Amino acid sequence: KAFRERVVEVTIGGLTRWWRLSGRPITDGGETFLGFRGVGSDITDTRQSEARIAYLASYDPLTGLANRTQFQGVATQLCARAQTGGEACALLYLDLDGFKSVNDVYGHSTGDRVLAEVARRIRVAVPVDCDAARLGGDEFALVYDTSRVIESPSALADRLIRTVAEPFESF
């Protein structure tokens, strides 16, 4: 049976490639199927670009954390469940005091490294069931269903503050 614009994933030498194929069956003039004749295009670059765009729509490229839009969707969903189903959720907000002076004194590249390190520390410090995000600038937030995380919100906030407040030695 003929096919058109079929996208297939192919692994060649350990690398994943994406091909778009169209073809029609060929026969010996009778009922014997001989194979397909058609065209194929390597669309790997396009697929990778589309994946990157989809990633950037939901995640902060500097820190790898969810962005404001992604976070708002998760927070809205958890808050709605809490309101209708009585399942409690917690929202923690973290703002880095004095961060503007880091950019002013040491430059934006150093500021970016500090933000990336803060995000790394947040990922390490919080339980897996917490959704962490960089809301923008030096603002971060966490939201989670409290029934899935044993630690109280205030205890988690205290631990998070201590973790982020550790000295930054390699900057």
Side-chain angles (χ1 to χ4, degrees):
K1 188 173 180 181
F3 58 93
R4 184 166 177 75
E5 304 285 321
R6 185 75 46 100
V7 175
V8 296
E9 180 181 351
V10 181
T11 302
I12 301 171
L15 297 174
T16 300
R17 306 296 297 177
W18 293 91
W19 291 348
R20 179 176 288 131
L21 305 172
S22 295
R24 62 177 178 79
I26 53 173
T27 63
D28 64 356
E31 295 293 317
T32 307
F33 173 71
L34 299 175
F36 287 95
R37 173 168 290 189
V39 296
S41 301
D42 185 339
I43 60 166
T44 303
D45 291 342
T46 303
R47 289 287 292 228
Q48 289 172 341
S49 294
E50 290 169 352
R52 181 75 178 149
I53 289 167
Y55 174 83
L56 292 174
S58 298
Y59 294 91
D60 175 56
L62 178 65
T63 64
L65 295 176
N67 64 16
R68 179 182 296 273
T69 304
Q70 174 77 2
F71 182 78
Q72 186 174 9
V74 172
T76 299
Q77 185 181 19
L78 278 176
C79 290
R81 278 192 4 217
Q83 199 169 31
T84 59
E87 299 175 29
C89 66
L91 173 67
L92 305 176
Y93 180 80
L94 176 69
D95 182 77
L96 304 179
D97 291 339
F99 180 74
K100 183 182 180 316
S101 65
V102 172
N103 279 335
D104 292 345
V105 173
Y106 300 103
H108 289 281
S109 62
T110 298
D112 287 351
R113 290 196 314 263
V114 168
L115 291 171
E117 175 61 16
V118 167
R120 187 196 67 76
R121 291 179 184 192
I122 288 172
R123 278 193 298 276
V124 168
V126 301
V128 239
D129 290 328
C130 288
D131 288 291
R134 177 178 176 218
L135 302 180
D138 63 347
E139 300 172 347
F140 297 84
L142 302 167
V143 66
Y144 63 95
D145 177 346
T146 58
S147 68
R148 294 174 53 196
V149 175
I150 296 171
E151 194 172 17
S152 75
S154 61
L156 177 56
D158 289 341
R159 189 165 54 78
L160 186 58
I161 290 168
R162 283 192 311 274
T163 301
V164 171
E166 288 289 320
F168 289 79
E169 296 179 15
S170 62
F171 297 99

